[in-house]
Amino acid sequence: WMPLVEAKSLDKAKNLCGGWLSSKDAQSLTEAHKCMAELEMAQGKVDEALKDLDTALGLTPADVNAHDSKLQVLMWARRFSEMPAALETAIKDCGKEGTEAWIDFSSRLLDDERFEEGLAYTKVLEKHYPKDFRVIADMGVLLAATHKREEAATYLKRAVALKPDDALDNWNLGRVYDELGKFGLADAQLRKAIALETEKEKKQEYVCLHSEFLKKRNRPGAAEYEKKNCPGGAPEDE
C-alpha cells in the first residue's frame, strides 16, 4: 500500500487497505489501519489518523513504523505536548529498535525552533539513553537555544567526553563558552573543532567563523589570521 500512497493513488490504496479491515490476522489488520492513517493524513484528518494508528499499535505494539508515524502525525499537527508520552510508549514497546528515528525528532524540533518542546521530548530520550552522545548534544544545543548557557555547557562537555572526535559538538561547546564570556576556553574549543572537521567546505566555514571570533575579541594576529585562512571574509552571521 505504501507505493500507492507515495504515488498519490489514494483510491487504489483505500480499496486495497479497506479489504484488509475484515481480516482476522493481526498483522494484516495492523497494516490496514496504518494505511488508513496515511490516507486520513493526506486529507488532514489528524484525529482519525491517530485513532487508526492507536488501533494498529493495540494489535502490534512493537511496530516501529506505527510509532514513528504517530510521532510524525503529532509533529505535523503541532501537537508537540503529546510527543513525550508517545515517545515513552514507543521506547517501552520497541526497546532499542527505532532509536535512530526517535533521536531524529529532536533535531527536527530544533530546526523547527520548538526549543522548549524539544527539551521536553529530548529529556525522555536522555532518561533512556543517557550515554548516547547525540542525545546529550541535542540537550546542550536546545538549552543554549533557550539561553540556559551554563546547563548547555555542562551537557555539551558531556557530549564531547562521550564522543571526543565529533567536530560539531566541540564547535557548539566553543560557541557556548563564547556566549558565557569564557573566550580562552572558546578559542581552544573552536580550534579543536576545526582540527577535527574532515569535510572541506565545513572546515573552511569554521575557519572563517573563527577568524570573525578573533576579530571581534581583538585577539592579537586576528587580521593576519583572516587574511591567510579566510581571504574572502567571514560570514555575516556568526
Side-chain angles (χ1 to χ4, degrees):
W1 60 266
M2 185 58 75
L4 291 173
V5 172
E6 291 174 348
K8 307 297 183 184
S9 299
L10 303 186
D11 288 338
K12 290 183 179 179
K14 185 175 182 179
N15 289 335
L16 176 64
C17 300
W20 296 338
L21 289 172
S22 59
S23 174
K24 295 182 179 180
D25 176 66
Q27 190 58 55
S28 296
L29 271 173
T30 297
E31 290 301 312
H33 284 289
K34 284 161 59 179
C35 173
M36 295 304 293
E38 287 282 345
L39 296 173
E40 285 151 358
M41 277 305 297
Q43 302 172 68
K45 298 178 179 179
V46 174
D47 289 332
E48 291 89 338
L50 289 172
K51 183 178 179 180
D52 267 306
L53 288 170
D54 284 338
T55 300
L57 289 167
L59 292 162
T60 314
D63 191 313
V64 172
N65 180 262
H67 283 290
D68 182 58
S69 293
K70 183 172 182 178
L71 286 166
Q72 298 268 14
V73 171
L74 291 173
M75 187 161 185
W76 182 87
R78 321 298 279 178
R79 289 165 65 165
F80 304 111
S81 63
E82 298 176 45
M83 291 181 69
L87 171 63
E88 192 75 65
T89 300
I91 294 173
K92 177 179 68 70
D93 289 345
C94 302
K96 291 186 176 181
E97 190 178 358
T99 302
E100 298 296 324
W102 316 149
I103 290 175
D104 184 58
F105 281 99
S106 287
S107 298
R108 291 173 60 182
L109 287 164
L110 177 64
D111 291 342
D112 205 31
E113 297 186 1
R114 306 300 306 200
F115 304 133
E116 293 292 349
E117 294 91 339
L119 281 171
Y121 178 89
T122 310
K123 281 179 181 176
V124 177
L125 290 173
E126 182 190 9
K127 182 174 73 173
H128 292 278
Y129 311 113
K131 294 185 178 180
D132 191 309
F133 81 97
R134 298 167 298 176
V135 173
I136 303 306
D138 283 344
M139 281 292 294
V141 174
L142 286 160
L143 285 163
T146 54
H147 308 294
K148 299 169 185 173
R149 296 184 180 94
E150 291 286 357
E151 289 181 74
T154 298
Y155 272 93
L156 287 166
K157 282 190 285 187
R158 283 176 56 195
V160 168
L162 289 165
K163 185 73 170 177
D165 62 349
D166 188 90
L168 180 59
D169 292 344
N170 279 278
W171 181 264
N172 286 333
L173 178 57
R175 292 289 296 274
V176 171
Y177 278 147
D178 182 20
E179 292 171 357
L180 288 168
K182 300 178 180 181
F183 301 133
L185 289 173
D187 188 26
Q189 208 68 49
L190 296 176
R191 290 179 188 272
K192 182 181 176 183
I194 291 168
L196 288 169
E197 182 57 59
T198 57
E199 200 277 308
K200 185 177 179 180
E201 289 185 5
K202 191 66 178 179
K203 191 182 191 79
Q204 185 60 44
E205 178 188 348
Y206 281 172
V207 168
C208 289
L209 288 170
H210 183 235
S211 73
E212 185 70 7
F213 164 86
L214 294 174
K215 281 173 57 181
K216 286 184 177 180
R217 280 79 190 168
N218 297 314
R219 295 302 198 200
E224 292 79 3
Y225 179 93
E226 182 179 45
K227 184 177 180 180
K228 177 182 177 181
N229 297 293
C230 188
E236 291 184 6
D237 294 323
E238 184 179 343

